Amino acid sequence: MALTTISEDEKRLVKDSWNLFVSRGDFSDTGSHMYKVLLQDNPHLKTLFSFMKVNGAPFDSPMFKSHVRNVFTVIGDAVNHIDDLDSLSPILKDLGVKHQGYGAKKEYLEPVGNALLCTIEKHLEDDFTQEVHSAWRTFFAVMSYSFAQGLDEDNGKDG
């Protein structure tokens, strides 16, 4: 996975579209679509999420809503650091290290990115232009690069 650069125009598009996305509602509602798409399209990933072990309706559980809020808060933090990628990179790498312990793998990043873009598109509707899509695709690649470095980290395990 190669490091991707993001242009000033792409940064502006990501920031502007994120602000619009945030204005559309609470993350636990707007962001829940991402996990529904991710897990519908990739049912083998369900075992990675503790909220899927909830009896009944896992997508209605407080555990799920809390997880979604946390993930989208981190995405918001990443957007807020988009002009200082050097400070964002170690944060995302640490998240990768943490998620390695949950069983996350680099090949899961693409379906997560697709589900994220699907979610942003759903809530931005006509404001989700091809340029916005491309900017988010680039930004997700930047985030994924650092996250994947954390997934690759040895963590002192025997190799």
Side-chain angles (χ1 to χ4, degrees):
M1 183 177 284
L3 178 60
T4 304
T5 59
I6 185 166
S7 72
E8 292 304 314
D9 282 343
E10 288 172 321
K11 290 177 184 180
R12 180 187 49 76
L13 286 168
V14 167
K15 289 188 280 190
D16 291 350
S17 60
W18 181 254
N19 289 334
L20 189 55
F21 179 82
V22 168
S23 74
R24 301 290 164 99
D26 181 82
F27 288 153
S28 64
D29 295 323
T30 55
S32 66
H33 183 73
M34 182 177 115
Y35 285 92
K36 291 174 184 174
V37 169
L38 176 66
L39 298 175
Q40 177 182 355
D41 293 349
N42 303 276
H44 62 284
L45 298 181
K46 288 180 180 178
T47 59
L48 297 175
F49 299 100
S50 57
F51 59 79
M52 292 306 295
K53 297 174 179 86
V54 172
N55 290 329
F59 295 120
D60 294 330
S61 74
M63 185 186 310
F64 170 71
K65 291 183 182 292
S66 175
H67 181 77
V68 171
R69 257 191 308 277
N70 290 341
V71 167
F72 277 80
T73 296
V74 168
I75 294 169
D77 290 346
V79 171
N80 290 336
H81 285 86
I82 200 169
D83 292 314
D84 185 12
L85 294 176
D86 289 340
S87 71
L88 179 59
S89 182
I91 295 167
L92 294 172
K93 183 178 177 183
D94 287 347
L95 275 174
V97 169
K98 180 179 178 182
H99 283 76
Q100 181 188 62
Y102 301 140
K105 298 178 180 174
K106 283 195 283 190
E107 58 262 28
Y108 301 162
L109 292 172
E110 183 177 349
V112 169
N114 291 339
L116 173 62
L117 290 175
C118 181
T119 300
I120 295 170
E121 179 179 19
K122 177 182 190 285
H123 291 285
L124 294 188
E125 300 171 330
D126 292 340
D127 292 312
F128 193 77
T129 64
Q130 184 58 43
E131 292 79 15
V132 170
H133 178 272
S134 179
W136 271 98
R137 180 76 56 205
T138 300
F139 185 51
F140 191 79
V142 169
M143 290 190 297
S144 294
Y145 178 83
S146 296
F147 191 91
Q149 286 181 315
L151 290 175
D152 284 342
E153 197 156 285
D154 186 7
N155 292 331
K157 296 177 185 171
D158 292 325

